[in-house]
Amino acid sequence: MVKLNTESASLSDVDALELLQNMIRWLHASLTDGSGTMVVRKLTSALVAFFIHFPNLWPDCIRLLCVSMSSSSPWPVDLTAVPPEMSTILWDVDSRKLQTVLWFAGSLVEEAGKIDANASKHLGIYEAIASNISDVVALMSHCFSAGFSQTSEGRSLQGDCIKTLQSWILFSQRLAARGDETIPSLRSLIPPVLSALSITDLFEAAAELLSDTLLNYSGFLLEAHYEALFSLLLEDSARGRYQRLVDGDFDFESVQFGQLMLALGDSKVQLLIENTGDRSQDFLTRLRGLLHAQGYPISDDRIFVPALEFWSTFVETLVDCMCSDDHQAQPWVSAASSHVVEVVSGIWRKLLVMRGKMSQISYSHPLLS
């Protein structure tokens, strides 16, 4: 890969295609002979580097890589031939090879995001990647299909699929800025991510994608996605996660659940302020409850500071809303203000409890008495 990065300019198209064929052959062999993950990852990284340098020689990279992984494909694959449709390829690719293509697809946009697309040697790279969007969506839709959720291997594949989708959502911001319409097709993959929140093995990846999108690209999500997410975070199955968190369970997934709630609240803070309906009020009450989780802030209670930051944003937004409207006539002012009063009171009580416990420690410790 080092030579590919430093000596690619000296390769003719014929030599470059031969190199590509060899790298795909090595990858195929590594997957067949049971080579370790590190070997496979390095080969997919080399293929990504090839595409970055020679996008015009491998325009249908996702589809051709799937063809190369297909059990029914003749070997070696003719990289210059028109590849078949994805729907006819994917069912002949086993889960480990699908996972490898997902790794390639995710690394592709991660690496492309690091380069200067306006540099002369990289002109057209974004357009070349965007031309693969329909194939990437077909690949991920296939991996999200119900058949893969029945086994641990299949759930692992879906976890990688969610991570790949997260990378493509981030990259789609760059494409959107250049006028490319790739977002609608990627949005079609959000429903299975929402469903993954209820699957223990997939919760971490799904929560990470949704939190990241809410915080950094909230416009990507449609109102239907927001509605579904509010419902999921308030339903009975989520209540258990919430209760464990406020009871002092600060393991990674518990904190991640709280951060997802806060990210959703932050992205819809004005809506929560101005909506006096039961759902909004219930959600705000739960966000208030995050300030009262058991344990000392920072050292034990890892959700206190993020929750405090949300409520700071809430107060700032509330003040802005009250200044911009005839707030005396707005029914939401009283409800929103009461939440603020409860928040301040709750924080004060928590600090007093902490102060009391610290005083007891000071008086009882022989070095401090």
Side-chain angles (χ1 to χ4, degrees):
M1 189 165 69
V2 173
K3 285 191 174 183
L4 188 58
N5 285 327
T6 58
E7 301 178 13
S8 59
S10 64
L11 289 175
S12 67
D13 287 357
V14 173
D15 290 338
L17 282 171
E18 183 180 355
L19 173 62
L20 175 60
Q21 187 72 266
N22 285 333
M23 287 193 294
I24 293 176
R25 177 168 54 82
W26 296 332
L27 177 60
H28 191 279
S30 297
L31 291 167
T32 303
D33 65 19
S35 296
T37 298
M38 183 177 295
V39 173
V40 175
R41 287 277 197 180
K42 283 186 175 294
L43 286 169
T44 57
S45 295
L47 287 169
V48 167
F50 181 93
F51 183 89
I52 296 295
H53 289 288
F54 302 104
N56 59 312
L57 296 182
W58 200 24
D60 299 311
C61 59
I62 300 295
R63 190 179 308 190
L64 279 169
L65 192 55
C66 287
V67 170
S68 302
M69 298 295 108
S70 171
S71 60
S72 62
S73 296
W75 191 262
V77 174
D78 183 358
L79 296 174
T80 62
V82 177
E85 292 299 316
M86 288 289 280
S87 58
T88 65
I89 303 168
L90 292 171
W91 291 108
D92 287 328
V93 183
D94 65 42
S95 58
R96 188 171 187 225
K97 290 173 182 173
L98 286 171
Q99 183 183 50
T100 301
V101 182
L102 286 172
W103 290 346
F104 169 80
S107 296
L108 178 62
V109 288
E110 289 169 8
E111 292 303 312
K114 300 174 185 177
I115 66 175
D116 179 5
N118 294 317
S120 58
K121 65 178 180 179
H122 293 309
L123 288 177
I125 186 69
Y126 280 14
E127 290 74 13
I129 292 175
S131 69
N132 283 272
I133 187 69
S134 60
D135 291 339
V136 170
V137 171
L139 169 66
M140 290 190 280
S141 296
H142 177 74
C143 294
F144 276 133
S145 61
F148 286 108
S149 63
Q150 307 304 314
T151 65
S152 58
E153 184 181 57
R155 288 191 292 274
S156 176
L157 177 67
Q158 291 184 336
D160 283 316
C161 190
I162 293 171
K163 294 172 186 175
T164 300
L165 176 58
Q166 183 174 350
S167 298
W168 275 82
I169 290 173
L170 179 63
F171 188 73
S172 71
Q173 285 184 281
R174 293 173 176 265
L175 295 177
R178 301 167 72 91
D180 192 276
E181 295 296 330
T182 60
I183 293 176
S185 56
L186 288 172
R187 280 179 175 147
S188 67
L189 298 170
I190 291 298
V193 175
L194 292 169
S195 298
L197 287 174
S198 61
I199 302 173
T200 302
D201 293 342
L202 299 178
F203 175 82
E204 180 180 332
E208 171 66 25
L209 180 150
L210 292 167
S211 294
D212 182 60
T213 304
L214 287 165
L215 292 172
N216 299 309
Y217 194 10
S218 59
F220 178 86
L221 299 172
L222 300 174
E223 284 305 312
H225 300 147
Y226 281 104
E227 289 292 315
L229 189 51
F230 271 116
S231 297
L232 284 167
L233 293 180
L234 288 171
E235 66 182 15
D236 290 342
S237 60
R239 191 180 298 275
R241 284 188 181 274
Y242 175 82
Q243 195 59 50
R244 287 194 295 274
L245 176 59
V246 297
D247 286 345
D249 178 1
F250 298 113
D251 68 12
F252 182 78
E253 284 196 3
S254 287
V255 174
Q256 194 178 35
F257 177 81
Q259 290 172 333
L260 177 57
M261 289 187 68
L262 292 167
L264 178 58
D266 193 68
S267 66
K268 288 293 184 181
V269 63
Q270 185 168 346
L271 173 69
L272 291 171
I273 287 172
E274 297 180 351
N275 191 318
T276 58
D278 290 343
R279 188 181 70 175
S280 292
Q281 297 307 304
D282 188 16
F283 195 75
L284 285 172
T285 299
R286 293 199 190 188
L287 292 181
R288 251 179 32 217
L290 295 179
L291 290 167
H292 309 314
Q294 299 296 314
Y296 290 104
I298 304 176
S299 62
D300 297 321
D301 181 356
R302 292 164 50 204
I303 202 64
F304 180 81
V305 172
L308 192 61
E309 290 173 349
F310 164 78
W311 283 105
S312 176
T313 300
F314 183 93
V315 171
E316 291 174 4
T317 308
L318 174 60
V319 171
D320 290 341
C321 291
M322 292 174 67
C323 290
S324 61
D325 289 332
D326 180 12
H327 65 273
Q328 299 295 338
Q330 299 298 332
W332 47 262
V333 173
S334 175
S337 299
S338 67
H339 282 294
V340 174
V341 171
E342 289 295 329
V343 164
V344 174
S345 176
I347 293 172
W348 181 246
R349 286 196 301 272
K350 184 158 188 170
L351 292 176
L352 285 177
V353 170
M354 286 176 55
R355 182 181 177 185
K357 289 184 177 180
M358 291 302 295
S359 297
Q360 292 175 9
I361 294 172
S362 298
Y363 287 127
S364 62
H365 198 288
L367 294 178
L368 299 175
S369 58

